[in-house]
Amino acid sequence: MEFKDVMAQRHSVRAFSDRPVSDELLNDLLTTAASSPSWSNTQPYQIAVARGAVLEDLRETLPPMFDELVALARGSKLQQIKAKLTNDGVPDGDFRPVTHYPKDLQPRRNATGQKLYELLGIERGDKLGRHQQMRENFRFFGAPVALFVFVHEGLDVYSPLDAGIFLQSLMLAATDAGLGTCAQGALALWRSPLEKHFDIPGHYKLLCGLSLGYEAEETINTFSPGRAPLEELLIKAKPL
Ligand SMILES: Cc1cc2nc3c(=O)[nH]c(=O)nc-3n(C[C@H](O)[C@H](O)[C@H](O)COP(=O)(O)O)c2cc1C
């Protein structure tokens, strides 16, 4: 594929078919992504690949944890304080999840969410419908492969920057090979279920997850949120 076509065709896939991804193809995609540039070539990231029984275990474990979290968020202040003290049901990820958006970014976030729910026919007040859709994150949208990206704690923002470049390379390589992907910040909420399956070095912090596989023919995969006009991203030069 032409580079511009790969860029145009990559989109977040939120419904995967059960068609398996071969070891050889996955290895090939990861090898391509691993050629990404990084700060002083330090490659400050490590990837945990979940497939087969490990993935199925996570697919069973995570959705109820999400349900519990949502119930807690809707519960009383007392329940929330108790949960914080006991660490019960509270996310144990390494980075604080974004719950409040800056004023200038909130409109873009809202527009994206609204458009997605509109496409799916989920009404504004339909809390259950929204919950079920969000819950799909923790089922990896049915994907046969999930990747968890960990970043070295010692390079400050440059580790996540480098991991982001790696992720984009991986997503483009997957698109070029006819596969779909969805980067998922949601998958960084809990670290402990991953510790059960992977020997994760303590100085590597869970940044993000990514589901990967073949796209299913579902309405949700036609979602195209568009982008802000380029002028909004460019900082104007001051007149001399
Ligand atoms: C770092 C990162 C985290 C994301 N987290 C999630 C997520 O948790 N769940 C989800 O459905 N989409 C997630 N997305 C996908 C974005 O919503 C999506 O990239 C954006 O709306 C643009 O749509 P497109 O990818 O289809 O072009 C994430 C994307 C990135 C880059």
Side-chain angles (χ1 to χ4, degrees):
M1 248 194 266
E2 290 289 322
F3 175 71
K4 278 193 173 176
D5 294 334
V6 180
M7 280 296 288
Q9 282 194 29
R10 188 220 53 83
H11 59 278
S12 293
V13 169
R14 296 186 179 90
F16 290 87
S17 80
D18 54 12
R19 181 174 165 193
V21 175
S22 71
D23 291 353
E24 198 191 1
L25 177 54
L26 182 59
N27 209 39
D28 191 45
L29 299 178
L30 288 168
T31 304
T32 300
S35 70
S36 298
S38 65
W39 186 280
S40 275
N41 200 23
T42 48
Q43 302 144 79
Y45 33 74
Q46 294 211 333
I47 321 296
V49 181
R51 318 172 67 184
V54 170
L55 184 63
E56 291 320 312
D57 182 63
L58 292 170
R59 220 192 297 272
E60 267 185 31
T61 308
L62 291 174
M65 292 175 84
F66 177 64
D67 294 341
E68 211 183 312
L69 178 65
V70 172
L72 187 64
R74 290 188 189 143
S76 69
K77 271 269 165 303
L78 186 66
Q79 278 170 314
Q80 289 172 11
I81 292 167
K82 234 169 106 184
K84 269 219 166 127
L85 291 174
T86 56
N87 270 342
D88 207 12
V90 175
D92 60 7
D94 296 314
F95 294 104
R96 206 152 31 95
V98 180
T99 47
H100 293 95
Y101 286 76
K103 230 177 168 180
D104 52 336
L105 301 181
Q106 181 90 44
R108 289 185 194 156
R109 190 250 176 175
N110 287 353
T112 303
Q114 270 162 23
K115 270 194 226 163
L116 178 68
Y117 291 125
E118 232 170 72
L119 176 76
L120 299 176
I122 300 172
E123 309 256 331
R124 229 168 195 282
D126 182 359
K127 277 191 184 164
L128 185 64
R130 287 184 176 226
H131 174 80
Q132 270 163 351
Q133 180 47 46
M134 277 192 257
R135 193 178 196 269
E136 279 301 295
N137 272 286
F138 303 96
R139 292 194 58 262
F140 313 104
F141 304 116
V145 182
L147 297 123
F148 297 89
V149 179
F150 295 83
V151 288
H152 197 295
E153 67 182 0
L155 280 194
D156 209 331
V157 294
Y158 298 103
S159 297
L161 173 62
D162 290 347
I165 296 170
F166 175 92
L167 274 169
Q168 171 74 339
S169 301
L170 181 62
M171 292 191 279
L172 294 179
T175 306
D176 189 45
L179 280 85
T181 56
C182 188
Q184 290 170 260
L187 296 181
L189 277 180
W190 287 283
R191 179 180 173 117
S192 53
L194 303 175
E195 302 269 16
K196 179 180 160 193
H197 296 291
F198 300 97
D199 238 339
I200 310 159
H203 58 297
Y204 274 87
K205 304 299 176 193
L206 176 58
L207 178 70
C208 188
L210 178 110
S211 294
L212 180 143
Y214 291 94
E215 186 171 339
E217 264 189 52
E218 298 277 351
T219 309
I220 196 164
N221 289 336
T222 64
F223 179 54
S224 176
R227 294 294 187 268
L230 185 58
E231 305 83 74
E232 282 187 29
L233 306 183
L234 299 178
I235 297 173
K236 283 198 186 77
K238 289 180 184 173
L240 281 178

